[in-house]
Amino acid sequence: MSGTFDKQDIEKIKRKRQEWENGTLKKQLDRFNITDSENEFYTPADIADFDFMEKVGFPGEYPFTAGVYPCQVPGSGPVTGGYHIGGGGGLVRAGRYLGYGTAEDTRDYYQSEILRGRTGGPNIAFDLPTQIGLDSDDPMAEGEVGKAGVAYDTLADFETIYEPFQDKNNLDSIASNWTINAPVNVILAAYVALAEKRGIPASKLRGTLQNDIIKEYVARGTYIYPPRESLRVTRDTFVYCNEYAPLLNPISISGYHMREAGATRIQALAFTLANASAYVQCGIDGGLDVDSFVNRFTFNTLSGSMEILPEICTRRASRRMWAKIMRDSFKSENPRNWILREAGGFLTGAWTSTSQRPLNNLTRAVIGGVAGALAGYIPSAEPPYDEPLGLGWSIEAQQLAEDAAKILYWESKLSKVTDPLAGSYYIEAMTDKIEAEAWALIHQIEEMGGSQGAIENGFMQRAVAQSAYEYQKKLETGEELVVGVNAFTDEQELEVLPNRLIPYPYDATKRAEAEKKQLARLAKVKEERDNEKVKSLLAKLEETAADEKANIMPLTIEAVKAYATIGEITGTLKKVFGEYSGYGKI
């Protein structure tokens, strides 16, 4: 199909632009004694070959630039306790990300959230020892137990955490999310085991495992095993879920964390899609047909920045690129598998929040919510303004964020029109530019053997570290301005904070006491369980792990049901898989 614009018209516009630059624009620049304009202006000449059906199409149809669904689910929108994940309209979703202290502490917090109107299931934040597969009584865990999230050692912890979710909110009626990667097999096993104890088959469970281990090597650092062996764990969870828990999303592929670590928008986009391709291949290598499992893949938000126009273009490009990857590279025949399913909407990113004049973060989040609506998502105004002030958010900050999203959705009605910026000369030109740059980076990664190779040789890690360094330099030189941080910091500027009406939900005393309580809890479980049975199951797990073709999930589930600890299970796998060190990669 030919482009939208006539070639003669394009040439006419180009000539007219030259006249404008040499005349009207130059006079203005000369008046202020400057050589270059700070403003950009786009015309049809910037998208001379624009073809609507090829570049945009209709929502819910290839290439999905305008949106992955033809319309939003009727009745859906921002919900209380929903974080950046829209709900309502019959959608079964997990809610706001939280967790701290012991299982009892997190259980009590969930109970209070339910009383406050929360409708979603748990979206669990785990402490650092759990994330790297250490037991709370491991010497390396000292001082970290229950700090960055809730401590998980054994199935007993899940039994307690999920106590508020019974009856009409039982495990077969809610969705759970787990931000867990390296020891994902243990957490999946714990949920399956808990459901079995309640008489609920795995086939009825809904939820999302993060399970995005590749980005851990790039950004967060909570890896355990080397990349190849980690992808073995990923493969086994895919295969298990595909057969026994088909309603679970076995992965949530995250550009967010890489962006938070310093990646540029191009790097975050390219690395995310390269990683996603590696995961698709992982499932195929496990014997799965591509059209049997990719429909359960989800993507966490790419994060973003305050430059919302190019960020909107990045989202549009991401949808188009993933559709091409699935259709053309993996030969998927089912259009539903070409959809980039995102867990939530657009975020400007927690990294844009500042501890200085923190209430300004609400303004930043609202701008992100506007961008999200324009990019085709249910708007969210997250994170709450006190994100940089410490672990967890105050109820007041959560209320303001949730109200802002509801105002954007129901009062401003920004979501009434799908992809309203489509056809803009700037938006289409920038979407094409971002896509081209991301493809170039993806091809570079492919030449290294894909994401696994790019991790093993340190390419991704170095790229993100360099970008973070370059951005920090711009902050220090003033090339990048952040209000209240390196600009507009005079004495007359006010620090405005709202009144605190409700006690802070993450009780500092409970956090301080968590480690002592968790150690006592763990010791009691170890004393009461059948230790010989645990020992026998761990030995069998080691044998299974040594067989590359075997799946470790069934024995992991049996070990968890016997109250084997997360550290015992990961320790057993370390004997076979080894451990990874990122030393020297950057």
Side-chain angles (χ1 to χ4, degrees):
M1 184 181 291
S2 60
T4 300
F5 306 103
D6 183 89
K7 289 184 178 180
Q8 291 183 341
D9 289 340
I10 293 296
E11 290 303 318
K12 182 179 179 181
I13 291 170
K14 287 181 178 179
R15 290 194 300 271
K16 185 62 180 176
R17 182 184 184 107
Q18 193 67 46
E19 293 174 8
W20 171 76
E21 289 177 347
N22 294 333
T24 304
L25 177 59
K26 188 175 186 303
K27 288 179 182 178
Q28 182 78 343
L29 297 177
D30 290 345
R31 178 184 175 191
F32 294 104
N33 196 29
I34 55 177
T35 56
D36 296 304
S37 171
E38 293 183 358
N39 307 109
E40 299 175 11
F41 183 74
Y42 286 73
T43 73
D46 293 294
I47 53 170
D49 297 324
F50 177 72
D51 184 316
F52 174 79
M53 292 304 299
E54 176 190 350
K55 296 288 188 177
V56 181
F58 291 91
E61 293 185 354
Y62 185 86
F64 301 101
T65 310
V68 296
Y69 301 114
C71 65
Q72 291 178 356
V73 175
S76 63
V79 296
T80 299
Y83 194 34
H84 66 290
I85 305 173
L91 294 172
V92 181
R93 297 286 178 85
R96 185 175 290 281
Y97 181 55
L98 62 87
Y100 82 110
T102 65
E104 290 87 352
D105 298 331
T106 294
R107 173 201 63 195
D108 294 345
Y109 191 179
Y110 276 123
Q111 189 62 57
S112 68
E113 282 285 286
I114 290 170
L115 293 175
R116 198 172 75 86
R118 179 193 181 105
T119 57
N123 187 346
I124 301 178
F126 294 100
D127 68 3
L128 184 57
T130 302
Q131 292 182 53
I132 55 176
L134 298 180
D135 288 337
S136 296
D137 60 3
D138 190 299
M140 291 183 65
E142 185 176 354
E144 290 291 342
V145 176
K147 292 295 192 294
V150 63
Y152 172 92
D153 287 309
T154 71
L155 176 59
D157 294 310
F158 257 30
E159 291 170 348
T160 299
I161 290 171
Y162 279 91
E163 284 177 8
F165 300 94
Q166 305 273 357
D167 302 323
K168 67 177 182 179
N169 288 325
N170 213 330
L171 306 189
D172 54 353
S173 300
I174 62 171
S176 288
N177 288 3
W178 307 275
T179 298
I180 199 73
N181 297 280
V184 65
N185 58 310
V186 181
I187 298 304
L188 172 58
Y191 199 57
V192 170
L194 177 62
E196 186 176 309
K197 290 191 71 172
R198 294 189 182 185
I200 299 171
S203 60
K204 291 188 176 182
L205 299 178
R206 295 178 182 271
T208 302
L209 298 155
Q210 189 160 105
N211 201 13
D212 179 5
I213 191 60
I214 299 176
K215 64 94 174 58
E216 294 299 313
Y217 300 101
V218 181
R220 296 183 71 244
T222 64
Y223 43 74
I224 301 175
Y225 322 113
R228 180 177 178 275
E229 287 72 17
S230 290
L231 289 172
R232 156 80 182 283
V233 177
T234 303
R235 180 202 75 184
D236 288 357
T237 58
F238 286 178
V239 172
Y240 175 84
C241 288
N242 195 63
E243 183 172 356
Y244 298 105
L247 299 181
L248 281 177
N249 300 319
I251 193 168
S252 178
I253 304 157
S254 304
Y256 176 89
H257 305 88
M258 293 184 285
R259 193 70 189 275
E260 294 287 310
T264 66
R265 68 177 62 90
I266 300 299
Q267 289 170 339
L269 174 58
F271 292 175
T272 298
L273 296 184
N275 294 351
S277 298
Y279 294 129
V280 174
Q281 189 60 51
C282 193
I284 293 172
D285 292 344
L288 301 178
D289 180 86
V290 68
D291 281 328
S292 73
F293 71 101
V294 177
N295 65 315
R296 301 308 305 180
F297 273 31
T298 67
F299 289 76
N300 200 348
T301 174
L302 286 169
S303 186
S305 72
M306 294 306 300
E307 297 179 69
I308 63 171
L309 290 179
E311 297 297 347
I312 290 170
C313 297
T314 302
R315 297 316 188 282
R316 299 176 83 245
S318 70
R319 298 192 286 255
R320 192 160 73 197
M321 292 175 72
W322 182 242
K324 291 177 181 177
I325 288 170
M326 288 308 303
R327 188 190 71 167
D328 301 338
S329 298
F330 288 105
K331 308 302 180 185
S332 167
E333 297 179 358
N334 185 351
R336 281 193 59 81
N337 292 336
W338 308 346
I339 290 174
L340 190 145
R341 298 172 65 227
E342 288 194 78
F346 178 95
L347 296 177
T348 53
W351 72 277
T352 65
S353 299
T354 67
S355 57
Q356 300 91 332
R357 307 225 288 272
L359 200 55
N360 287 343
N361 297 330
L362 178 59
T363 302
R364 295 182 175 103
V366 169
I367 291 171
V370 172
L374 297 178
Y377 306 103
I378 292 174
S380 68
E382 301 286 345
Y385 76 83
D386 54 5
E387 164 76 20
L389 301 184
L391 185 70
W393 307 289
S394 65
I395 299 298
E396 292 83 358
Q398 293 180 44
Q399 183 73 57
L400 287 171
E402 291 171 2
D403 281 352
K406 292 168 183 173
I407 290 168
L408 289 174
Y409 189 78
W410 278 290
E411 295 186 28
S412 297
K413 296 180 172 58
L414 279 179
S415 297
K416 283 290 185 182
V417 179
T418 301
D419 198 22
L421 302 183
S424 157
Y425 308 137
Y426 165 79
I427 291 294
E428 299 301 348
M430 183 56 66
T431 300
D432 287 350
K433 181 176 184 291
I434 288 171
E435 179 179 357
E437 292 179 7
W439 279 127
L441 189 49
I442 288 173
H443 295 327
Q444 190 176 354
I445 292 168
E446 288 173 344
E447 291 175 357
M448 301 175 193
S451 290
Q452 181 181 326
I455 291 297
E456 291 172 341
N457 69 20
F459 171 76
M460 286 187 179
Q461 300 95 308
R462 289 192 299 272
V464 172
Q466 183 65 34
S467 295
Y469 170 70
E470 295 295 338
Y471 180 76
Q472 184 61 33
K473 281 202 305 183
K474 291 178 180 179
L475 280 181
E476 293 175 4
T477 61
E479 185 177 346
E480 288 282 349
L481 299 182
V482 179
V483 174
V485 177
N486 66 348
F488 310 105
T489 57
D490 295 338
E491 291 182 1
Q492 67 269 25
E493 305 284 356
L494 298 179
E495 184 90 2
V496 181
L497 290 172
N499 292 328
R500 178 67 55 80
L501 303 174
I502 300 174
Y504 196 66
Y506 277 33
D507 189 298
T509 302
K510 289 183 177 180
R511 287 182 65 208
E513 296 173 348
E515 186 160 333
K516 180 180 178 181
K517 291 181 178 179
Q518 188 68 15
L519 291 178
R521 177 187 180 91
L522 177 56
K524 187 172 185 293
V525 171
K526 287 183 175 180
E527 181 181 349
E528 295 177 350
R529 71 186 183 180
D530 185 339
N531 284 294
E532 286 302 314
K533 183 177 182 181
V534 170
K535 184 178 179 181
S536 173
L537 287 168
L538 292 175
K540 292 179 181 178
L541 177 62
E542 184 176 351
E543 292 177 7
T544 301
D547 181 356
E548 173 66 26
K549 295 181 180 180
N551 192 308
I552 64 171
M553 278 308 305
L555 271 169
T556 303
I557 294 170
E558 291 305 310
V560 166
K561 286 162 63 175
Y563 294 88
T565 69
I566 190 170
E568 289 169 338
I569 294 171
T570 59
T572 297
L573 295 178
K574 285 177 189 176
K575 295 177 184 178
V576 180
F577 296 160
E579 292 185 69
Y580 179 79
S581 172
Y583 181 76
K585 296 298 182 184
I586 297 179

